[in-house]
């Protein structure tokens, strides 16, 4: 999936920005995430809406990984707590409303 590769490149940039010693602040990090990844997901939500559910499930982990980087949460943290901590809704909610 070509879109997944683009998101992986953007996530690598976010990994660098999330460095605790010299990385970006939380608000700057969230702005970069919204501009580089979330914008592309939202822009294509009309097309994604007609895709199979198995294809759409591949976008969720990208969103969750970025939220984990942003919040500094562990990999085992529940996804729902990430949404609350980062004040970001789930992708399903974003694309249906």
């Amino acid at each position: 999936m070509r879109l997944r590769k683009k998101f992986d490149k953007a996530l690598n940039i976010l990994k660098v920005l999330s460095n605790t010693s010299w990385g970006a602040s939380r608000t700057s990090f969230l702005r970069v995430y919204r501009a580089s990844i979330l914008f592309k997901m939202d822009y294509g939500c009309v097309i994604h809406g007609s895709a199979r559910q198995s294809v759409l499930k591949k976008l969720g982990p990208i969103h969750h990984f970025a939220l984990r980087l942003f919040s500094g949460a562990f990999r085992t943290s529940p996804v729902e707590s990430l949404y609350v901590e980062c004040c970001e809704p789930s992708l399903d909610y974003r694309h249906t409303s």
Side-chain angles (χ1 to χ4, degrees):
M1 182 174 195
R2 194 174 76 181
L3 186 62
R4 172 68 191 225
K5 289 181 182 180
K6 285 185 179 183
F7 287 147
D8 284 340
K9 288 180 183 179
L11 282 173
N12 286 336
I13 293 170
L14 289 177
K15 282 181 195 177
V16 172
L17 288 175
S18 68
N19 190 333
T20 56
S21 62
W22 56 269
S25 66
R26 288 179 63 124
T27 55
S28 298
F29 181 86
L30 193 57
R31 285 181 188 153
V32 171
Y33 167 65
R34 286 179 179 157
S36 62
I37 295 177
L38 206 54
F39 171 74
K40 291 176 185 176
M41 286 185 187
D42 289 345
Y43 182 74
C45 74
V46 174
I47 297 168
H48 298 154
S50 63
R52 290 185 311 223
Q53 200 62 17
S54 62
V55 175
L56 293 176
K57 289 197 180 270
K58 293 180 181 180
L59 296 177
I62 297 168
H63 183 59
H64 302 153
F65 183 75
L67 293 179
R68 282 189 175 93
L69 282 176
F70 170 72
S71 65
F74 295 112
R75 275 187 322 149
T76 57
S77 300
V79 176
E80 291 79 16
S81 66
L82 290 174
Y83 297 145
V84 173
E85 175 72 26
C86 301
C87 299
E88 282 290 321
S90 69
L91 288 179
D92 293 336
Y93 183 77
R94 289 181 70 90
H95 296 164
T96 56
S97 56

